[in-house]
Structure formats: C-alpha cells, structure tokens
Amino acid sequence: MDMNQPAPRNAIDDNRQGLIGRPVDRVDGRLKVTGQAPYAYEVREANDPACGFIVGATIAKGSVAEIDASAAEKSPGVLLVYTHHNAPKQAAWGPLDAKDRFSRATPQLGSTRIRYHGEAVAFVVAQTFEQARAAAQLVKVRYAAEPGDYELEPKLAQAEKPPDDAGEDGAKTDSAVGDFAGAFAAAAVQVDATYTTPFHIHAQMEPHATLAYWKDGRVHIHCAAQLLESAQKAVANTLQIAPDKVRIVSRYIGGGFGGKLPVYGDVMLSALAARQLGRPVKTALTRQQMFHFTTHRSQTVQRVRLGATADGRLTAIGHDAWQHCARFDNFCEPTVMATRTLYAAPNRLTTQRLLKLDLPVADSTRAPGEAVGLLALEQAMDELAEKLALDPLELRLRNEPALDPEKQVPYSSRQLVACMRQGAQRFGWHERQARPGQTRQGRWLVGMGMAAATRGNLLLPSKCSVALDKQGLLTVRMSMTDIGTGSYTVFTQIAAEMMGLPMDRVRMLLGDSDFPETPGSGGSFGAASAGSGLFDACLNLRASLARRLGVEPAVAVFAHGRVSAAGKSETLGALAGTLGLQANGEIKPGAMTSQFSQQAYGAHFAEVAVDADTGEVRLRRMLGVFAAGRILNIKTATSQATGAMIWGVGAALHEEAVIDPRYGYFVNNDLAGYHVPSHADIPHIEAVFLDEVDDKTNPLKIKGVGELGISGAGAALANAVYNACGVRVRDYPITLDKVMAGLA
C-alpha cells in the first residue's frame, strides 16, 4: 500500500468496537510498574554475563601519548582490557555522507586520536560491574593535549553552509522567496532580534546499556535502540560482518528523545569482547558518561527579522540560524523549518550555518528544529505584536496562510486558528493586560503569554506480519520499538479494531530486528508508519478470512471475534483452521507527501509569576490545544503532549548544559547540576486535542503527536515573563539573574 491518493473510508473510521480513541490503559503498564519488563541491562537471555566498563578520555582534543593497562589487567576479576594496542580491527568511521547516518561504522579504540572529551580510550571487562569499574580507575593514560574550539558564538563568522542533506529531513539548507531584503527595509514596522539556545541533554531515565552474546556465528545484542535496522547496519558495518549476522533486540526502552537513535561504543565494545571471550558481556554507561559519550542538542544562535504593515500584515520573514556539530560530523539542527511554513508573507529568507567544534556528536533531540526554532520565532512575533500595539493572538490570525507559503501546495489539514481560538477561550486570554507589569499579587508580578506550535508530519516505509491461530489469537510482529510512548498499546488497539477482536486476544511482539522492518521510533513518525504497515497486514488478513467465509472482503463485518456477511457468520479461529492463517503488510509514502504540506498544529498558553525582588520565575498554569489528526488513544496522547510541554518548560526556564571553554567538557554532567523541571515546577498543565481526521497522511488518518507539545511551548513562557514584568530575555534559559538584570 502506498499513499498516492487520499485514504478512503475504512474499518478504523467505522470503529465498530469503539477501541480507537479510547483511553485504554497501557498493555505493558503492569509489567513496568511491577519491574517485570526487562530493559537492556536486565535481560537474562544469556547466562553468567561479564561486565564491561568504558574508560573515557579526560581531554577534548589531542592524542594518547602513552597508556598502561597492566595494573588493570592484574586487578581482581578482570578478564580483558582493550586499548588501541589490542582492540580488534574495525571499519573506519563513517562514511560522512551515508544516507542513514545512524548506520555508519563507529569504531572504538581504533587509534590514539582523541576527538572529544569522554571518547573511549580503554575498555575493561571483569566478572562484576564493581570489579570492572575499580580496574578502570587503574588504567593510566598520558595525553598529548592540543588546543581546541569549544564555543559557538565567538566564531560565528567561520560557520559554513552545510550540505543540503545534513539536516533532519533532507530539506534544503537555505530558502528564499521574493525580495526579502527589499521588503524588510521598506516595512513600516520591523523586528530584528537575536536569540540563543544552549546545549540540551536528553536526560533519559534509562542509561544506555548493552548485553551482547554470540551464538552460531551471529551476535545477539540487547540494547536501548530506537531504530533497530539502523543499529543492525551500524554493528554490521563496524564489525565488517553481514547484517544478517547481527540481531538487535530492544523490547523496552526507558526514554529515547533522539538520544537512542544511534548506538554507541557500549554496543560495539560489548560485541567485540563477547566474541573474544566466548561469553556474554554487558555494559552500562554511567550518568556522567552519558553527557559526553552520547549525543546532545546543538547550541543555536538565531536572528529573526520580521517586517509588517502598520495593520499587522507580514511582508517579510527572515530567520538565520547558526549551530555547531562535531569536528568529524555534519549534522545540522533544522532550526528554521517551522518558519518556512507557519505564517504568510510574500518575501522570505531562511539560512542555516554550521560551525565544527571539538565536542561530542550533536544530533536530534526532542523535536529537532521546531523545538529551538520556535523559541526564537514565537518570541519575535510577540515583540512585533507589541510594536504594532496588537494582541499577539490577533497578529497570528492576520497572517494565516491559505497555502504553504514556500511550497505553494495546500495543507493536508490545518487547524492552527481553531487551536488558538479555543485555547484563548479556555485559558481566559481576554483577561491578559496588554501592558507589562500591570498585574501584581504581593511581590509577584503575573503575566500571560502564548505561542503557536507546529511539527512536520512524516510517513516512512514500514512492514508488518500478522498470524491468526485456531484459537482466534492474533500475533503481530514488527521491529518497531516503544520508547515509553505507548506503542504496544496503540498498535494493539489498531489490530484488535481491524480484526474485531478483544484486545486481550492480540499478542504484540515488537523490538526485534528479526521481525519485519519498520522505521522505528523517532521524529513522531512511529505510530503513523508502523501503524499503517499493521493496518495493511490486517487488511490483507481480513480479505483472506472473508474469502474463506465465501463473501467479498468489502462487505465482511469483523466484530466480537467473528466475521459476518450475507447471512453467514463464523469465528476467526474456525476460519483460520488448524494451520492458522498469516498475512503481511507494507506502507510506502507516495504522492500525498509532495502534493500536500503536512504538519500537526497547536497553541500554547502560559501564566507565570515573577518575583519582583529576586527575579524568580514560577509557572502557574499552562494549556496546550492541539490538532494532530485522529487520536488513537486519548490517554497516551495526552501523556505525550503534557510530557512534551514540560520539556518546553525546561527549555524555557531550566535546561542548560555548560561547556568549560578551556577544556571542552560539560561541567554540570549529572542530574544534580543539569536542571530539569521537578513536580514543584509544574503546578497545573493541561493538553486538549481537537477533533481531526487527515486522509492525506496515511490510512489511519493520524499525525505525529510526541514532539508537537514541546514545539513553541517555551516561547509561550518567555512571552508570559515579559508580560508579567517587562523584561525580554532572548538568551535561554530564562534564569533569575537575567530577569534581575532587566528589572534593575
């Protein structure tokens, strides 16, 4: 099945059993809360594993001049110590221009070269974790350090235009429509402001971990991986073996957020050591190691220029973004993507520039592009509204486009205006005081802010197999992963609704690269892509069952475990017979992707209080209203949206990883120093979904939900802070010292 035309009405629309949209509890919830869902480090499929521990470089650039592992090798329980002297041969890093950057070879300990702080310089394997960690401290390394570049802002002039395929979605690096420079210069009202966002760390609850063992010449790897096929190829490319000699299993993942899109040295080193020792090896990163050994979000510097008529019609939109990547990489955070489609203006310019630094690899983190890009654009819109003496909501309404302003194609569906209007009504936006600093409660200055949200919608190729047995039990197999978003649950709902079965008659098997290929979890494309492959497999199985009943598939009714049509009725198990019945399904993107501009939308509203004496900012309440196609499960969707909004609060007020510019390492490299919102920071938060069905996106008529909630959320808080106290902070996060400087 491909999406070359709008999806017709189907069984998901009919929803005869009422399973689609219901707030169904997570089918894996009991396993998780009782500790029975095994995460990678807890898997017991291999007996008596040894434990590995990675020794990371303590410099950010240079080389290993001398390394002495003799004391570690003699330490109690130690089985093996790898350094660059004895690490098994692996492929060279890369290639840089790989179509799938997560499948690139990532060799470990291949040379003396140090490219970033924390890069592996040794790997210790021992009988226990404690023995391996203790021995790791005995590895003595002498470095030849070199000066490095670790800061973005001082060297913006040296940033270069990255290749067009370096971004998240392959979109061109720059875009231009009309005469931006001329229109901006001639505009009656102008905003020209620069905003900065810091390094962000994924901070998943589950550390990256691996269990690797070899059996019959094939390596089996249990790890925390969002994309199993990419991980399989990465291991195969690194170890220089055939992909079918690699099996990746990732049944439960304790948070991904983009940080588990790649696989890292713990996977490669565990696999190599397990092969050499003939014994399973498991390795977990410490929380501190995760800050350097895995990816992070780039810093950004963003200049937004808006030109408008006196009545608030945008005539020019310009968004220039600078970000960094690792010296040996080329990933470019797609910071300006939302600006290209959100508001109407005849003259437009967006550019992205990339500076290579001597830092760990930067890559996708929590709605890459939109999350940080809208922090700037939506603050700039607020600044423009003030200059125009116009309500910020009204400014956005006046610049609603009829077509995608750069692609010049219609939107598949777009309810941004409805989100803003309903949000304003629910939130009490009419009570907002236009002039900052007018609402005071004791020493607290209170203000409101809002921002628009958008996140691109993707459909990627995906496959699925389903099998029905004589007992009427349906087994679904996909290599899809569940990173805590509810994949097991919504796929069970889809399968049960399609086949007319109770949910407890569906067995959902995910997270194994031996299962049919899916794109995995990431970019908010997982449910749409894998769910559509599942839909197609069930559609094919329905057709086979209908034919066995002797009726046309189009008239067959599947409900309550039976197939009925034309006066005939039979149970699914009876029709499957003794041998059972199987079917495969597949989805491919088609013409709908290019014929329509596809995004999910929302509007954020926030109320904050600012302490007039200390500059402390406290969120009081927050509302997000979203339109994201059909909602498969209102409970899991709401959970994702509110969680993402909390990310937005973190980006606005708390999160900032700080690099020591002398030595190139994150100084706040744990969850004590890297601040994320706690329960006390989130007093009241609400997410609401509007009714929407988008038949241009996929046969399920859904859109991605997971990352929409963070997009624009932080800007709503920034705008609320300004409305509360009159201090405009363009340098995120909005900490009390920055507010105090403005108040003073």
Side-chain angles (χ1 to χ4, degrees):
M1 176 185 293
D2 53 34
M3 283 301 296
N4 282 323
Q5 57 189 7
R9 185 171 182 84
N10 57 49
I12 297 297
D13 296 296
D14 295 337
N15 201 19
R16 295 181 186 276
Q17 300 193 131
L19 293 176
I20 301 302
R22 275 181 50 192
V24 175
D25 291 341
R26 292 174 185 259
V27 298
D28 55 336
R30 183 173 294 276
L31 289 175
K32 289 184 174 179
V33 299
T34 58
Q36 298 178 72
Y39 293 83
Y41 200 73
E42 302 164 332
V43 169
R44 300 187 181 277
E45 292 187 17
N47 295 322
D48 192 28
C51 295
F53 194 91
I54 294 169
V55 180
T58 57
I59 64 168
K61 185 177 182 180
S63 60
V64 174
E66 185 179 358
I67 188 165
D68 181 1
S70 58
E73 291 169 338
K74 298 172 185 175
S75 186
V78 169
L79 304 171
L80 175 69
V81 180
Y82 280 149
T83 68
H84 67 272
H85 290 301
N86 63 339
K89 181 175 175 56
Q90 301 152 71
W93 186 91
L96 186 63
D97 59 353
K99 185 176 180 181
D100 174 7
R101 67 182 184 274
F102 303 119
S103 70
R104 294 186 293 209
T106 54
Q108 305 297 309
L109 309 175
S111 75
T112 60
R113 194 72 198 152
I114 304 298
R115 301 173 297 177
Y116 57 90
H117 184 96
E119 185 170 16
V121 295
F123 181 60
V124 179
V125 183
Q127 299 285 1
T128 69
F129 170 80
E130 290 78 11
Q131 289 172 333
R133 181 177 59 182
Q137 308 306 312
L138 302 177
V139 177
K140 293 181 173 58
V141 187
R142 184 170 62 83
Y143 298 100
E146 301 170 11
D149 295 322
Y150 311 119
E151 294 182 282
L152 174 64
E153 291 191 61
K155 298 202 171 186
L156 291 186
Q158 298 178 23
E160 298 180 350
K161 183 176 182 287
D164 282 332
D165 58 358
E168 178 67 14
D169 58 2
K172 290 190 178 298
T173 300
D174 297 351
S175 70
V177 176
D179 176 14
F180 167 78
F184 181 72
V189 182
Q190 299 175 336
V191 166
D192 185 347
T194 298
Y195 308 84
T196 66
T197 64
F199 301 98
H200 287 160
I201 303 299
H202 300 97
Q204 311 96 326
M205 186 180 296
E206 178 203 19
H208 295 72
T210 299
L211 169 68
Y213 62 94
W214 292 76
K215 184 177 179 181
D216 300 327
R218 190 180 192 219
V219 63
H220 300 254
I221 296 172
H222 294 260
C223 63
Q226 295 177 230
L227 316 178
L228 298 198
E229 271 70 33
S230 294
Q232 182 184 44
K233 293 171 185 173
V235 174
N237 289 336
T238 303
L239 273 57
Q240 299 176 299
I241 58 178
D244 63 4
K245 297 297 184 184
V246 179
R247 177 185 175 220
I248 305 290
V249 183
S250 194
R251 296 194 180 100
Y252 300 99
I253 301 174
F257 315 138
K260 292 171 183 172
L261 293 171
V263 290
Y264 302 94
D266 57 300
V267 169
M268 307 306 172
L269 290 167
S270 297
L272 291 167
R275 181 171 61 182
Q276 181 165 331
L277 293 171
R279 177 179 175 180
V281 173
K282 67 178 184 178
T283 305
L285 300 185
T286 66
R287 179 64 61 183
Q288 292 78 11
Q289 286 177 325
M290 289 170 64
F291 275 69
H292 295 96
F293 203 64
T294 71
T295 59
H296 59 270
R297 193 202 297 279
S298 310
Q299 278 183 309
T300 73
V301 175
Q302 303 176 53
R303 181 188 184 192
V304 179
R305 288 172 287 174
L306 303 176
T309 61
D311 64 349
R313 310 288 176 178
L314 285 167
T315 58
I317 295 179
H319 193 167
D320 304 303
W322 293 262
Q323 48 262 315
H324 78 274
C325 71
R327 178 78 63 188
F328 54 93
D329 195 21
N330 65 353
F331 172 75
C332 180
E333 175 94 15
T335 307
V336 302
M337 292 300 108
T339 304
R340 296 179 181 177
T341 186
L342 195 52
Y343 299 117
N347 304 285
R348 319 173 66 87
L349 177 69
T350 67
T351 69
Q352 297 180 106
R353 295 297 178 263
L354 195 59
L355 181 68
K356 298 200 171 191
L357 297 175
D358 300 300
L359 294 174
V361 172
D363 212 294
S364 298
T365 306
R366 309 182 198 163
E370 288 91 341
V372 288
L374 289 172
L375 286 172
L377 176 64
E378 287 299 285
Q379 252 211 96
M381 287 292 284
D382 207 66
E383 297 194 47
L384 179 62
E386 184 183 40
K387 284 193 172 186
L388 291 162
L390 196 62
D391 186 287
L393 177 62
E394 179 60 29
L395 173 63
R396 290 166 172 83
L397 295 176
R398 291 186 186 184
N399 291 283
E400 174 70 4
L403 298 173
D404 185 296
E406 298 205 8
K407 296 179 181 177
Q408 290 298 303
V409 297
Y411 294 98
S412 61
S413 63
R414 180 176 166 112
Q415 290 201 80
L416 177 57
V417 168
C419 290
M420 292 192 291
R421 284 183 168 151
Q422 185 168 139
Q425 182 179 4
R426 283 175 172 265
F427 199 71
W429 182 253
H430 65 279
E431 297 178 0
R432 172 185 177 271
Q433 299 295 314
R435 196 154 66 92
Q438 298 305 296
T439 303
R440 185 161 187 152
Q441 297 174 5
R443 72 173 193 267
W444 294 97
L445 299 166
V446 181
M448 295 185 189
M450 63 86 58
T454 184
R455 172 70 175 149
N457 186 68
L458 288 174
L459 178 66
L460 299 177
S462 191
K463 297 178 181 179
C464 177
S465 71
V466 294
L468 183 69
D469 68 13
K470 65 181 180 180
Q471 305 299 327
L473 177 69
L474 183 74
T475 300
V476 179
R477 290 179 173 85
M478 295 187 287
S479 69
M480 179 63 181
T481 52
D482 188 330
I483 55 176
T485 51
S487 297
Y488 279 104
T489 306
V490 296
F491 295 146
T492 301
Q493 288 175 265
I494 293 168
E497 185 58 52
M498 286 293 294
M499 301 311 304
L501 287 168
M503 287 184 60
D504 62 6
R505 302 303 294 162
V506 176
R507 186 168 65 132
M508 190 62 54
L509 301 181
L510 305 177
D512 191 326
S513 64
D514 282 352
F515 296 162
E517 183 175 353
T518 72
S521 297
S524 298
F525 53 66
S529 303
S532 295
L534 168 60
F535 170 90
D536 190 49
C538 290
L539 204 62
N540 294 333
L541 182 60
R542 284 164 60 107
S544 297
L545 289 165
R547 285 191 288 269
R548 287 195 174 186
L549 186 63
V551 300
E552 286 298 316
V555 300
V557 174
F558 289 75
H560 311 299
R562 304 183 71 87
V563 187
S564 305
K568 301 178 181 180
S569 182
E570 187 56 89
T571 65
L572 269 64
L575 290 172
T578 304
L579 298 178
L581 195 58
Q582 296 184 351
N584 297 319
E586 182 176 11
I587 189 70
K588 295 179 181 178
M592 295 294 95
T593 300
S594 58
Q595 291 178 7
F596 293 90
S597 181
Q598 298 186 15
Q599 283 89 30
Y601 295 98
H604 295 282
F605 295 83
E607 180 180 277
V608 305
V610 179
D611 190 312
D613 297 321
T614 69
E616 178 188 356
V617 179
R618 290 188 183 177
L619 175 67
R620 288 197 166 186
R621 59 192 179 101
M622 192 171 186
L623 169 69
V625 179
F626 305 106
R630 170 179 282 127
I631 300 302
L632 295 173
N633 182 319
I634 189 61
K635 180 179 286 188
T636 58
T638 301
S639 177
Q640 287 194 70
T642 54
M645 291 166 69
I646 293 168
W647 281 343
V649 175
L653 303 181
H654 304 102
E655 291 193 61
E656 180 180 21
V658 180
I659 282 283
D660 186 319
R662 301 166 300 172
Y663 305 116
Y665 74 98
F666 292 113
V667 293
N668 54 336
N669 56 15
D670 55 36
L671 294 184
Y674 182 78
H675 294 164
V676 296
S678 67
H679 288 296
D681 297 309
I682 311 295
H684 181 75
I685 191 163
E686 181 183 6
V688 175
F689 288 92
L690 302 185
D691 290 337
E692 182 174 82
V693 175
D694 192 334
D695 63 358
K696 315 298 191 305
T697 55
N698 50 71
L700 302 172
K701 305 173 186 176
I702 67 175
K703 292 179 180 177
V705 170
E707 296 169 305
L708 178 61
I710 188 178
S711 302
L717 271 78
N719 294 335
V721 169
Y722 180 77
N723 182 246
C725 66
V727 178
R728 178 68 67 182
V729 180
R730 301 187 182 98
D731 179 25
Y732 291 96
I734 304 170
T735 49
L736 58 85
D737 56 314
K738 298 169 188 174
V739 176
M740 278 296 294
L743 289 173

